[in-house]
Amino acid sequence: MVGARQFDEQEVIAIALEVFWRKGLHDASMQDLATATGVQRGSLYNAYGDKEAIFLRAFDQYAGLFLEAARNALAKGDAAARLQKLFDMIIVNMTSGSPPRGCLTTRTALDAAVSSAHVRERVQNLLSRLEHLISEAVSSAAGAPATIDANRLARVVVTFTRGLAVMERAGYGRKHLNEAAVTFVDALVGDA
């Protein structure tokens, strides 16, 4: 049938996600995507339009999985335990792979300075949704600091996660990142 896709779309997007995660939006080329997916460039253009459209589909898939993992990490325990589980999940996520793949959101945020409004909106939306999850989890947990507004605390926590991502890119390993996260959680809610 003319116009029917001859590839598994979910698989292509999952592979494209790995390419973007390794190389970033701007450094990944359509040829990189074609080589990795086994789908000709022309077919990718016909199916998706352009590289950014493929990226947005891949990023949306990533965002859904990331936010679900964050929701699970924040589900149980007192405020300190919830935050520590979140940091543990994030640190494992960015230090996995060989070489470690880093943080897709932070890499994209840095690329977003020269990207389209659509890319910037996706990054901001993901970070905003993460803030909301953190705010809800902290405000409903035992041991939450009573003197700090949960929304403002959530913004600080998300900001700290971006700092962890930069430190990982600078060569700090999982052990150092975990130590920083433990110290941060203790400073936020240790005496709450």
Side-chain angles (χ1 to χ4, degrees):
M1 176 159 92
V2 175
R5 294 195 177 145
Q6 302 296 315
F7 55 85
D8 180 337
E9 196 167 351
Q10 292 294 343
E11 183 180 338
V12 165
I13 295 300
I15 293 168
L17 174 60
E18 288 300 319
V19 171
F20 288 123
W21 206 330
R22 259 192 346 269
K23 296 189 131 202
L25 171 59
H26 291 290
D27 289 341
S29 67
M30 283 299 276
Q31 186 57 53
D32 293 329
L33 296 169
T35 300
T37 62
V39 176
Q40 294 181 5
R41 279 188 325 189
S43 296
L44 290 173
Y45 278 115
N46 287 335
Y48 301 104
D50 62 12
K51 179 177 74 166
E52 185 174 293
I54 298 170
F55 174 79
L56 292 173
R57 297 273 305 266
F59 190 81
D60 288 347
Q61 182 180 77
Y62 164 79
L65 295 171
F66 177 82
L67 290 169
E68 184 61 31
R71 184 176 292 107
N72 291 337
L74 291 163
K76 295 181 183 169
D78 64 12
R82 290 177 187 211
L83 290 173
Q84 193 58 56
K85 286 184 223 169
L86 174 69
F87 287 128
D88 291 346
M89 181 275 297
I90 288 171
I91 290 167
V92 166
N93 193 34
M94 75 175 75
T95 59
S96 295
S98 182
R101 59 189 179 185
C103 175
L104 178 64
T105 307
T106 300
R107 176 186 295 251
T108 303
L110 295 173
D111 278 353
V114 292
S115 294
S116 75
H118 297 294
V119 173
R120 287 189 302 276
E121 287 169 11
R122 289 303 210 292
V123 170
Q124 289 172 354
N125 181 268
L126 172 59
L127 295 176
S128 177
R129 291 169 64 193
L130 179 59
E131 279 182 29
H132 181 74
L133 287 174
I134 294 167
S135 177
E136 283 186 338
V138 169
S139 64
S140 68
T147 59
I148 300 175
D149 175 84
N151 294 322
R152 290 174 49 203
L153 177 67
R155 171 84 35 100
V156 170
V157 170
V158 169
T159 301
F160 181 76
T161 64
R162 302 309 90 198
L164 286 174
V166 171
M167 297 303 286
E168 184 278 328
R169 286 290 87 184
Y172 288 83
R174 195 176 284 184
K175 178 181 179 229
H176 290 100
L177 299 175
N178 282 325
E179 288 171 354
V182 167
T183 302
F184 184 70
V185 170
D186 189 48
L188 282 177
V189 296
D191 293 331

